[in-house]
Amino acid sequence: MSQDSLFSSGQELANLVVSSDLLHDSWATIYDLLSHAYNLNNPTSPAPIAFKVYYPYNTNGAIVAFVSSPTCSTVHHIQKEMVSSEDLKSSQLPFDFISTKLNPHFSIHKGAIALFASLLNQLSPLKEQLGSFSPLIITGHSLGASVASLFTLWLLDNISPKDNNKRPTCITFGSPLLGDSGLQQAILERSSWNSSFLHVVSNQDSIPRFLVSPTNGFSGSTPQSCVYRPFGTFLLCSDSDYSCFEESESVLDLMMVMNSNGQQQDNGFLIFNYGPILECLKHRVICKGTSQLSDFGVNQLQAGIIQQLEAIGIGGQWQQTSNMSFLRNMENRVEASFAKKMNAFDPGKKLKKIKEDMTYLEWYKKGTLNEGGYYICFKERRSGSRDVVKSREEIVKRHRILTKYWKRMVAEVEKLPQKEEAAFRTRWLYGGTNYRRMVEPLEIAEYYMKGNRDYVNLGRSEHYKLLEKWMNEDKIGGIANDRRKAVSLTEDSCFWAYVEEAIIASKGLREGSSEEKENSRRNLVNFGEYVMSLIRSYSVSTEIFQPQSTFMMKWWQEYRQDMLSSLYNCPLTFYMENEEYRSYA
């Protein structure tokens, strides 16, 4: 997609946020708590952190506000040290859930953790009480905002991804950055988490910028020394305008620029007061841009970014030639972010097409039923007799499409945090189970056509193993105790691999050495018990008893006499010899 067709929606999003009452209600709550918890004109209270639950809504909603002592919320008192996830685990603070498979390690600001730990005994019962509140706003100022973010993360861990209406919204004012890239990426992996955070930052407030290393002008590069990383959406504002930024690296660069400009206001207030700015911004008409934009031949995306920069008080510097690289970097990041969203793995996008591919295999299975079943027809390169059945080449094509889709699906799910992985199981595992039971037998057929052995241990793809593991854990498509009719699709997708191994074992029983014969006999007894367990639970398709099927033709008919002489007391031998299978078929 070209730059001309892209645009930056930061100011539109900011306008929506500012025009709502959320920011004003949140700040009013913070200011009220500050006034009662601390004497703002003479802050001598020893308590470093305070919180309170407010109920300003007529509905079942609440605002939980966190504020830190004004003396504790100064640059002189905020330290830059971090606490690692390993140390957090040993201290038994409840943040193990943040770790993911892709990001197992993270670090959090030490001061924020210390304040959170001091409130843990009070927050634990509160966490249970807030589960039914909606809307639920968690807000805070300065280091209190960092504690609000930690509390929000703790709440989010209890919420299923499908219960979006129960998610709390965290609105912070003047919050220092909370953690490192490990924390950032772990949150970005959960898109529903990242969208729960809105951070309001004034270009005159030095606290949010304290943990950000300064850089010289619009360099567009992130210094390695800056270990803190942002997450969520940032509403950056000047005393007259504002804009929202969602791309994390651009937020970091902008805060560095704001830091290097050194803007700070002394208004006689011991903490930076966001109240007057919010009132001013709410009544301001959104900037429509300047006439200078057209003079430089900027495209639509550039124009939107320039307006955003001007809104937060640094836009005038973009015209300098030395700063054009900063503008280009922001453009590239917006484009990359848009492309990432467009290319993000969405299982639902191809679901309809995948269902069509499964339909071809279902037709093939039905059309080959009277010719021994789709397993033997596929293995022996036969097509069915029905007109609707496609050629073997077409089935191979559909097989590959389906396998590519589900392999990617499983790989993506493996990367998900535990809660999101569980949500996948609920929505998609039924389809994955049907795919595995329909398609894996075709893969088994190809495997043994090449003369290979022991498919289950040596040839089985990992994605089949995981789909089966997840099915067993979730009990999807499990055995029904009251079933009285055979399933149409054999539940154990490795069934035909065991049949192939039984054929090999039967040959060993006839032709092998004494040791091989004993091993073959033992394997056939186990196979017989396995098949009978499937028959008793009606978990195997009737096609295994079709006259021309692999089961009958390659195993029982060819080795019947050997089975009767060596395994006469095997339940399966008795079942087959007395033709009890006819009632099953």
Side-chain angles (χ1 to χ4, degrees), residues 237-250:
C237 53
S238 64
D239 57 355
S240 61
D241 212 341
Y242 51 84
S243 189
C244 278
F245 297 86
E246 298 178 274
E247 202 286 308
S248 57
E249 293 306 304
S250 292

Side-chain angles (χ1 to χ4, degrees), residues 215-345:
T215 186
N216 296 322
F218 292 120
S219 70
S221 62
T222 301
Q224 295 298 320
S225 61
C226 183
V227 294
Y228 284 88
R229 290 290 188 273
F231 59 84
T233 299
F234 279 73
L235 176 65
L236 303 182
C237 53
S238 64
D239 57 355
S240 61
D241 212 341
Y242 51 84
S243 189
C244 278
F245 297 86
E246 298 178 274
E247 202 286 308
S248 57
E249 293 306 304
S250 292
V251 168
L252 194 60
D253 272 353
L254 290 169
M255 293 182 71
M256 289 177 182
V257 173
M258 292 163 66
N259 210 3
S260 65
N261 286 348
Q263 295 176 333
Q264 186 171 5
Q265 176 181 328
D266 182 8
N267 59 1
F269 199 59
L270 290 174
I271 62 170
F272 187 82
N273 188 356
Y274 280 84
I277 286 183
L278 293 178
E279 285 300 321
C280 177
L281 297 184
K282 187 171 184 179
H283 294 91
R284 188 193 185 284
V285 177
I286 297 178
C287 176
K288 300 299 183 181
T290 67
S291 59
Q292 294 175 331
L293 296 180
S294 60
D295 296 339
F296 292 87
V298 297
N299 59 43
Q300 186 169 282
L301 177 57
Q302 289 174 336
I305 293 174
I306 292 168
Q307 284 187 331
Q308 287 184 274
L309 297 181
E310 290 176 344
I312 61 175
I314 60 175
Q317 303 174 57
W318 78 271
Q319 299 172 18
Q320 301 174 20
T321 304
S322 60
N323 295 330
M324 288 301 293
S325 61
F326 180 82
L327 181 60
R328 284 194 292 270
N329 280 340
M330 287 200 67
E331 289 181 68
N332 292 337
R333 286 168 179 164
V334 171
E335 288 183 316
S337 177
F338 182 80
K340 184 178 180 180
K341 291 178 181 178
M342 289 294 292
N343 296 323
F345 184 61

Side-chain angles (χ1 to χ4, degrees), residues 53 55 60 62 122-133 136 151 155:
V53 183
Y55 305 95
N60 191 29
Q122 298 167 266
L123 294 180
S124 294
L126 176 62
K127 178 189 176 188
E128 302 303 321
Q129 296 171 15
L130 294 175
S132 61
F133 282 84
L136 177 59
F151 186 58
L155 292 175

Side-chain angles (χ1 to χ4, degrees), residues 46-157:
I49 186 77
F51 79 94
K52 187 175 181 180
V53 183
Y54 292 78
Y55 305 95
Y57 305 114
N58 293 328
T59 58
N60 191 29
I63 296 179
V64 183
F66 292 83
V67 297
S68 53
S69 165
T71 54
C72 147
S73 299
T74 65
V75 169
H76 298 293
H77 287 82
I78 297 177
Q79 303 300 314
K80 292 188 176 182
E81 287 84 3
M82 288 187 174
V83 180
S84 69
S85 50
E86 289 75 15
D87 290 338
L88 286 173
K89 187 174 183 179
S90 62
S91 66
Q92 297 184 335
L93 287 173
F95 293 110
D96 284 352
F97 64 87
I98 293 178
S99 297
T100 67
K101 295 172 185 176
L102 292 182
N103 294 280
H105 308 291
F106 62 91
S107 295
I108 297 177
H109 183 243
K110 186 176 182 179
I113 283 293
L115 292 176
F116 181 89
S118 70
L119 295 176
L120 186 58
N121 290 337
Q122 298 167 266
L123 294 180
S124 294
L126 176 62
K127 178 189 176 188
E128 302 303 321
Q129 296 171 15
L130 294 175
S132 61
F133 282 84
S134 181
L136 177 59
I137 308 298
I138 313 297
T139 190
H141 174 263
S142 191
L143 277 179
S146 298
V147 176
S149 293
L150 290 173
F151 186 58
T152 302
L153 289 172
W154 197 23
L155 292 175
L156 287 169
D157 181 51

Side-chain angles (χ1 to χ4, degrees), residues 401-549:
I401 292 172
L402 287 163
T403 298
K404 181 179 179 181
Y405 172 85
W406 283 104
K407 276 187 174 181
R408 186 183 177 192
M409 170 77 86
V410 170
E412 292 290 336
V413 171
E414 269 202 293
K415 299 176 186 178
L416 294 175
Q418 187 174 357
K419 292 285 179 69
E420 281 74 5
E421 182 180 292
F424 158 80
R425 297 179 184 183
T426 301
R427 289 177 290 181
W428 305 103
L429 192 51
Y430 182 83
T433 299
N434 283 340
Y435 150 78
R436 176 175 57 83
R437 291 171 175 170
M438 179 71 77
V439 174
E440 191 169 11
L442 305 183
E443 207 151 305
I444 292 170
E446 290 185 326
Y447 183 83
Y448 284 95
M449 279 169 57
K450 298 174 182 177
N452 297 318
R453 295 186 60 172
D454 197 5
Y455 168 85
V456 173
N457 295 311
L458 301 178
R460 196 180 192 200
S461 173
E462 188 66 22
H463 81 291
Y464 289 130
K465 296 177 184 178
L466 287 172
L467 284 171
E468 183 174 21
K469 173 178 175 287
W470 294 338
M471 180 210 71
N472 290 334
E473 290 174 351
D474 283 38
K475 296 181 176 60
I476 292 179
I479 295 173
N481 294 329
D482 58 348
R483 183 184 291 151
R484 291 294 180 267
K485 184 178 180 181
V487 294
S488 60
L489 198 59
T490 300
E491 289 184 346
D492 187 353
S493 56
C494 287
F495 172 81
W496 291 107
Y498 296 121
V499 172
E500 295 285 0
E501 293 299 322
I503 293 172
I504 294 171
S506 297
K507 290 179 180 178
L509 188 65
R510 174 183 291 182
E511 305 167 358
S513 63
S514 298
E515 182 179 354
E516 289 173 339
K517 287 181 179 179
E518 178 57 28
N519 287 336
S520 296
R521 191 193 70 81
R522 186 164 49 250
N523 290 339
L524 285 169
V525 169
N526 292 337
F527 173 71
E529 292 175 351
Y530 160 74
V531 174
M532 287 307 301
S533 69
L534 297 181
I535 291 172
R536 293 188 187 104
S537 61
Y538 294 94
S539 299
V540 66
S541 170
T542 59
E543 70 177 342
I544 70 168
F545 295 120
Q546 292 297 318
Q548 298 182 33
S549 75

